[in-house]
Amino acid sequence: MELDSNTLNDTDTDCDRSARETNDNVITVIESLRKHFIDDNDDCPRFFMDCLKKACEHAFSSTKTEERRPVLVYVQNRNSRISTIFDSFDIIDYLNENYIVWSWDINLESNRILLNNMWRDVFSCEFPYSRNVKEYPILIGIMRFYQEKKNDLFISAYQFKKLLQGYILRTENIYTEKILIDKLALFKAESDENERSLSFDFICKSGLCWNVIFEILEYLTLNDAISLFSANILPILRKYNRKIEVYLSSDTFIETILPKLKYEQIVSLRLNRNFDPIQSTSNSLRVFFGVTSLHLYNFYDIKLMFRFKRHFRKLIRISFWYDDQVCLHCLSCMLMDLPRSVKQLEIHSGILLCNDFHKISRYLQSSISNSIEYILIDIKRSSSCSIDDTFQFDQSFSFIEIADFFQNISNIRHIHLIINKQNINHFLNLDQWKILRQNCKMLNKITLNIIGNILEDEEFTQTLLKIQTELQKIVKFRFTYI
């Protein structure tokens, strides 16, 4: 069915009429609030008399960075006790000078729906705060997130932060006023610093070409890249489809930053022990379907892999990082539910505890994924220990303990060890290396990196060279000092 020109004109007219009606409704709500405050207090801040998106555009429209101002959103529900924050002329003067103030009332359902629509237009999500009248009024600060150039125009994206809400805004005293002024001043300072950051073109100022910039980005998480280049780097990353690593710090990060990228760009993910896959964030893990590398910091939950299994179906590499110590038994239990797609396993720790691991190794033998082909064990000294009072391995450690762990991984091809020179004695038994190779039939490469120089110790050097020569007949053995 084809539409004639009259039909199209009618459609345009309907759209224009709907937009005018919406705009009229917005102005009516804001004007009603302004009149209410004038009647009660004889004065109020200058409310921006248009939709929220236009308030944001106006706030940051100046070509001079110092003239841009954050937006303060004041949302109340007249069914709750009315705020007293605009009773102070000092606060009103401060807001008029430093903020664009946009106000709203959600006592009517139609107003709430309109607010949701405007919020979605600016932030791509509905207004996120509760309907509970006790939580109102709410003050929300808005600053810019990043800007990108489209068709010779600079388009801005925005981010918001709740400043104060509820009882404190309904209480009038000198302490409340001070708290409010401090909050407003702090957010204003954050917004000013953000504007300076967005205005500073690191790429132009540094003179670096894009190839160099992209090479730098290879060594940064997305979080670090935003800190260095500002959020303006996001459109560039999306345009050139650069693969990135993300440190997942909060739901807010997922909701505000990740939608600016293509989800398939995220190939590596970092999580710390405060992250709970059972909580709401796990519902958002579905966006990480392309992740091939997972880094877990200070995780000890043996049910971890089972919880993550369904989210990371393309996982190839998994790394465990521990600030202090970790038990080899605990690690092995976590690896029992390792996704079968994983081929590379890394363990980075301050101290590796191996007590009586050989007693439970048979139990684990058929449980650890046989898909692992490469394993790195990187044992560095714990930050809480002095350089002279501990070794990286538990005192009861022997080569047999760690060899049993390797032998439980039947398909292993490459073993990579990074150890401190104090632990080198554990790895100087040629016969034990031969037994390990005999039991790990697929093993074809061993790499031993030693932290600290032992070249001055002729006995150690000769022993390592002998091991290298003897093992060379059955496996590629290399040792280096780092």
Side-chain angles (χ1 to χ4, degrees):
M1 176 181 177
E2 296 185 2
L3 297 177
D4 59 30
S5 59
N6 289 331
T7 302
L8 290 174
N9 289 335
D10 290 343
T11 302
D12 291 342
T13 301
D14 290 342
C15 291
D16 291 342
R17 185 183 301 113
S18 176
R20 285 195 300 272
E21 289 175 356
T22 298
N23 189 61
D24 289 344
N25 290 338
V26 169
I27 294 174
T28 299
V29 174
I30 298 174
E31 178 59 35
S32 174
L33 267 175
R34 190 189 72 83
K35 184 177 183 302
H36 166 78
F37 282 113
I38 292 292
D39 290 343
D40 278 9
N41 308 322
D42 298 326
D43 199 3
C44 74
R46 290 190 295 269
F47 292 156
F48 188 84
M49 304 297 290
D50 211 322
C51 68
L52 179 59
K53 186 173 185 178
K54 290 185 178 179
C56 294
E57 291 171 349
H58 177 74
F60 302 100
S61 61
S62 176
T63 56
K64 297 180 180 180
T65 304
E66 61 273 14
E67 292 182 357
R68 298 169 192 162
R69 292 180 284 172
V71 175
L72 182 69
V73 174
Y74 169 82
V75 181
Q76 74 168 32
N77 187 327
R78 291 194 193 181
N79 293 325
S80 64
R81 187 179 166 208
I82 299 302
S83 171
T84 61
I85 65 169
F86 299 140
D87 290 354
S88 167
F89 293 111
D90 289 338
I91 289 178
I92 291 173
D93 290 341
Y94 180 84
L95 289 174
N96 287 338
E97 184 176 346
N98 294 281
Y99 278 84
I100 297 296
V101 183
W102 189 85
S103 60
W104 199 253
D105 192 304
I106 58 168
N107 65 312
L108 299 178
E109 183 62 24
S110 58
N111 288 2
R112 178 179 292 277
I113 292 172
L114 194 49
L115 177 60
N116 277 334
N117 292 338
M118 287 187 287
W119 206 263
R120 191 183 299 109
D121 192 29
V122 177
F123 301 109
S124 301
C125 68
E126 291 189 352
F127 187 70
Y129 301 113
S130 165
R131 294 178 179 229
N132 186 346
V133 294
K134 293 182 180 179
E135 296 186 11
Y136 289 86
I138 300 178
L139 284 181
I140 304 164
I142 297 176
M143 67 174 75
R144 283 202 302 167
F145 183 33
Y146 71 86
Q147 65 177 9
E148 61 179 316
K149 194 174 184 180
K150 289 184 178 180
N151 301 323
D152 295 325
L153 294 175
F154 284 100
I155 308 299
S156 293
Y158 306 95
Q159 55 187 318
F160 63 91
K161 177 182 180 180
K162 181 173 66 177
L163 304 182
L164 288 170
Q165 73 176 119
Y167 176 77
I168 194 169
L169 296 178
R170 300 192 299 266
T171 306
E172 184 180 7
N173 59 55
I174 189 172
Y175 302 107
T176 300
E177 184 174 329
K178 184 180 185 307
I179 291 171
L180 178 56
I181 288 291
D182 288 347
K183 284 281 187 180
L184 293 172
L186 179 60
F187 188 78
K188 176 65 164 58
E190 291 175 0
S191 179
D192 291 346
E193 179 60 31
N194 185 59
E195 284 304 308
R196 286 190 289 270
S197 175
L198 292 176
S199 298
F200 179 75
D201 193 331
F202 177 90
I203 296 168
C204 291
K205 298 286 185 182
S206 66
L208 298 176
C209 66
W210 277 113
N211 287 339
V212 175
I213 296 294
F214 287 146
E215 188 171 342
I216 293 172
L217 290 171
E218 292 289 336
Y219 298 93
L220 301 177
T221 64
L222 176 62
N223 316 62
D224 293 333
I226 292 173
S227 297
L228 178 60
F229 299 104
S230 85
N232 285 340
I233 195 66
L234 293 173
I236 305 299
L237 293 172
R238 181 184 178 93
K239 178 180 179 180
Y240 292 98
N241 200 33
R242 303 299 299 183
K243 304 303 181 184
I244 54 178
E245 178 175 286
V246 171
Y247 169 53
L248 192 58
S249 53
S250 65
D251 283 350
T252 303
F253 189 88
I254 294 179
E255 294 165 358
T256 60
I257 294 181
L258 297 190
K260 313 304 179 185
L261 300 165
K262 301 172 186 174
Y263 292 142
E264 59 267 25
Q265 291 180 253
I266 305 167
V267 296
S268 183
L269 194 61
R270 295 189 186 188
L271 304 174
N272 66 30
R273 68 184 301 175
N274 295 323
F275 177 88
D276 187 350
I278 297 300
Q279 300 302 320
S280 59
T281 309
S282 66
N283 296 326
S284 303
L285 285 177
R286 64 183 182 276
V287 305
F288 301 113
F289 58 84
V291 165
T292 59
S293 182
L294 182 62
H295 305 268
L296 304 174
Y297 288 80
N298 298 311
F299 272 93
Y300 295 93
D301 187 352
I302 62 174
K303 298 180 181 179
L304 176 70
M305 288 299 103
F306 178 78
R307 295 172 183 171
F308 282 146
K309 227 174 185 179
R310 62 192 182 97
H311 295 293
F312 306 116
R313 300 182 183 275
K314 297 182 180 180
L315 203 59
I316 296 174
R317 173 189 175 203
I318 185 166
S319 302
F320 293 88
W321 298 76
Y322 297 92
D323 293 333
D324 293 311
Q325 65 186 28
V326 64
C327 173
L328 197 57
H329 179 197
C330 176
L331 271 172
S332 299
C333 291
M334 281 195 284
L335 297 177
M336 290 170 63
D337 279 311
L338 202 66
R340 293 193 176 276
S341 58
V342 174
K343 296 186 180 299
Q344 301 175 24
L345 171 65
E346 297 181 7
I347 301 167
H348 305 260
S349 178
I351 299 173
L352 186 64
L353 301 177
C354 305
N355 306 57
D356 298 326
F357 179 77
H358 64 282
K359 293 181 181 179
I360 52 97
S361 62
R362 290 185 180 180
Y363 168 72
L364 296 170
Q365 190 165 6
S366 61
S367 302
I368 299 179
S369 173
N370 59 11
S371 64
I372 299 172
E373 299 179 1
Y374 167 85
I375 181 168
L376 165 67
I377 295 185
D378 174 10
I379 309 298
K380 292 185 175 65
R381 188 174 303 281
S382 166
S383 59
S384 63
C385 301
S386 71
I387 196 165
D388 296 321
D389 65 2
T390 187
F391 292 108
Q392 280 69 45
F393 292 99
D394 177 60
Q395 294 298 321
S396 64
F397 169 82
S398 71
F399 187 93
I400 295 174
E401 306 281 354
I402 200 167
D404 282 343
F405 174 74
F406 290 143
Q407 288 163 196
N408 287 326
I409 307 172
S410 59
N411 205 37
I412 191 168
R413 287 163 164 75
H414 183 187
I415 292 174
H416 186 179
L417 297 171
I418 302 176
I419 62 170
N420 191 286
K421 66 179 181 180
Q422 285 98 328
N423 292 311
I424 191 62
N425 275 319
H426 294 297
F427 299 90
L428 296 180
N429 189 311
L430 175 59
D431 291 335
Q432 289 177 340
W433 281 112
K434 288 182 176 180
I435 293 172
L436 174 63
R437 171 59 182 84
Q438 181 180 350
N439 292 330
C440 298
K441 301 186 183 304
M442 304 297 291
L443 183 63
N444 56 39
K445 186 175 182 180
I446 299 171
T447 302
L448 181 62
N449 296 138
I450 305 164
I451 302 172
N453 194 347
I454 63 168
L455 287 176
E456 67 274 7
D457 194 315
E458 185 65 23
E459 182 181 354
F460 281 158
T461 302
Q462 291 303 318
T463 302
L464 284 169
L465 288 171
K466 180 181 177 181
I467 292 173
Q468 180 174 285
T469 301
E470 289 294 322
L471 289 180
Q472 201 70 17
K473 303 171 186 177
I474 53 176
V475 65
K476 185 176 180 180
F477 182 95
R478 290 288 182 270
F479 69 93
T480 58
Y481 303 101
I482 58 177

